[in-house]
Amino acid sequence: MAVSGFEGFEKRLELHFSGDDPIIRMGGLRQLDFESIEEILNAVQCTVVSAVGNQYFDSYVLSESSLFVYSTKIIIKTCGTTQLLKSILPLIQFTSELGFIMSECRYTRGNFIFPKAQPYPHTNFNDEIFYLQEQLPIHLCYRKASVMPSKFISHSWHVFTACNEEPNNDLITIEVCMTELDRVLARKFIKHPNMASNEMTEVTGISEINPNALICDFVFDPCGYSMNGIDGDRYSTIHVTPEDGFSYASYECVGSIYDDPNDIINILKKVVQVFRPGTMSISTTSTSNEVWTRIAKAVEPLGMKCRSCTMDDFPSTGSVVFQTFTSCRK
């Protein structure tokens, strides 16, 4: 294990807002100008490297992960030593100027590979909770924080949620964290001279995970890869740190409880085949059991053994199910 390296594990912040219908019809939060977005990201210490949008939302690939802006919600996911939670105050300021009030907050992350390298407020989960409690509006009165354990000290799932009422949530959010990537497959994410990002997307098999998605990708020098996928009103995102000793990849997507659950299951199978990790965790956030109960049976034939499964309920999101897997080759 390397003494130090790039922190692949992301911090993820999802914020929902409410506002008058005319404001939402005008684009809602998508009215935030690029200068405001840059100021928010400056507080986090990252920048935009690529962007694309459609009629439903705007997608930004960042120097450290991703940003998605919908009319009434914003999702920011950052890795490395970024200070993600420092985005909250400028976000509240800019959204209030548009006439929006925050209605829900969700913060999630795994275990950092290099926790001692993280700056405040990400020094530990207690510091993160304290910071969140101080920054969030007091009307978000239903709050819960939990660390969901697994059989591995190195893999647990940290969740904080806050809301002002029970939302009607029909979305499914899947967050996959993979370590100890197959070395041969991981080398495909090392940049060759004159290599374009879309070439890496093709060579690695990422383009086949969801062939319907419009992909906005970026290759880092000398190695590393990020992509955001847009499929109607659904996003997906992948981030890869391929170096030996601290290799890491993440996959995230969103679906609906009304979808065919096999759609997400088939996508997860493809993700496992692209990376073949030694250890993998999958967090499923939903009000339905249709997806998470099928995950183990889907990935075990691919050589991944389910080692633990933990469930907890949160007032703003429904159930969060945290499953961990190890490769049978280990």
Side-chain angles (χ1 to χ4, degrees), residues 104-253:
E104 181 185 342
C105 168
R106 187 195 313 177
Y107 175 67
T108 56
R109 69 167 175 85
N111 272 32
F112 296 127
I113 300 173
F114 308 108
K116 292 182 179 178
Q118 292 295 318
Y120 183 84
H122 299 287
T123 33
N124 59 63
F125 192 46
N126 285 336
D127 286 343
E128 290 173 319
I129 294 169
F130 178 80
Y131 191 87
L132 281 159
Q133 301 274 29
E134 291 291 306
Q135 302 297 313
L136 293 175
I138 59 173
H139 67 264
L140 300 185
C141 54
Y142 300 104
R143 304 184 180 192
K144 180 173 179 177
S146 177
V147 179
M148 303 177 68
S150 74
K151 289 187 176 180
F152 307 102
I153 296 174
S154 59
H155 281 261
S156 57
W157 196 240
H158 304 70
V159 184
F160 174 91
T161 66
C163 63
N164 58 0
E165 61 183 2
E166 290 283 344
N168 182 20
N169 185 16
D170 60 4
L171 292 181
I172 300 170
T173 303
I174 303 285
E175 297 172 73
V176 184
C177 300
M178 296 167 280
T179 55
E180 303 162 67
L181 309 182
D182 179 277
R183 289 191 174 190
V184 173
L185 297 177
R187 288 192 194 105
K188 293 182 179 181
F189 294 95
I190 297 174
K191 186 178 182 181
H192 302 304
N194 304 316
M195 188 180 204
S197 55
N198 62 343
E199 183 182 347
M200 186 173 285
T201 300
E202 292 288 335
V203 167
T204 57
I206 284 174
S207 59
E208 295 303 313
I209 292 175
N210 179 3
N212 298 322
L214 169 65
I215 291 178
C216 181
D217 44 25
F218 192 85
V219 176
F220 295 90
D221 196 8
C223 64
Y225 171 89
S226 288
M227 86 84 173
N228 291 342
I230 292 181
D231 183 5
D233 62 349
R234 315 287 177 82
Y235 71 85
S236 59
T237 183
I238 290 175
H239 304 284
V240 187
T241 302
E243 292 97 324
D244 285 349
F246 51 94
S247 64
Y248 172 84
S250 67
Y251 174 79
E252 179 180 329
C253 68

Side-chain angles (χ1 to χ4, degrees), residues 13-28:
L13 183 66
E14 179 173 334
L15 301 174
H16 292 242
F17 297 83
S18 58
D20 293 335
D21 191 57
I23 301 172
I24 296 172
R25 286 205 307 270
M26 290 171 59

Side-chain angles (χ1 to χ4, degrees), residues 39-56:
E39 191 169 330
I40 292 163
L41 295 176
N42 283 341
V44 177
Q45 297 183 328
C46 61
T47 58
V48 173
V49 296
S50 186
V52 70
N54 65 6
Q55 67 189 92
Y56 299 103

